[in-house]
Amino acid sequence: MEIISIEDRTFDRMLKRLETAARMAEDVHRRFREKKMGEWLDNQEACILLNITPRTLQSLRENGMLAYSQICHKIYSSFASTQIM
């Protein structure tokens, strides 16, 4: 085991920078925590909510009448845009 000694001032500066980084990480977490997947519906949930077929749902997306997002190969519809319909 190796022991490294540093000056008090250096340690205090390192500690302040670490605390600043922790605050920044908490701020980012707080901002993105509000963007939950609960605001998005998968195809099945959107079809049930709107009482339509998957093909009709696809037509709504293609015509720009329904906001959606694609993550990998899965499509999620915006819950807010389904409430408008």
Side-chain angles (χ1 to χ4, degrees):
M1 179 179 206
E2 187 177 346
I3 298 174
I4 300 173
S5 64
I6 56 175
E7 295 179 9
D8 285 342
R9 270 190 336 198
T10 305
F11 179 76
D12 289 338
R13 278 188 272 160
M14 289 172 48
L15 186 60
K16 285 181 184 178
R17 285 187 180 189
L18 183 59
E19 289 170 346
T20 301
R23 272 195 306 276
M24 290 171 63
E26 288 173 1
D27 289 343
V28 168
H29 178 262
R30 192 175 313 110
R31 271 187 279 157
F32 289 103
R33 177 180 55 201
E34 297 168 2
K35 304 282 185 195
K36 298 178 183 174
M37 279 303 294
E39 298 174 3
W40 295 91
L41 306 169
D42 65 11
N43 282 342
Q44 183 178 3
E45 293 170 330
C47 286
I48 291 170
L49 182 66
L50 296 172
N51 196 27
I52 58 175
T53 65
R55 179 63 188 127
T56 303
L57 183 66
Q58 182 178 347
S59 295
L60 291 173
R61 286 194 310 262
E62 289 171 352
N63 294 331
M65 298 175 66
L66 184 67
Y68 71 95
S69 182
Q70 183 172 355
I71 302 173
C72 293
H73 296 287
K74 185 130 175 110
I75 296 175
Y76 296 95
S77 300
S78 168
F79 180 74
S81 65
T82 59
Q83 293 299 308
I84 294 170
M85 303 191 118

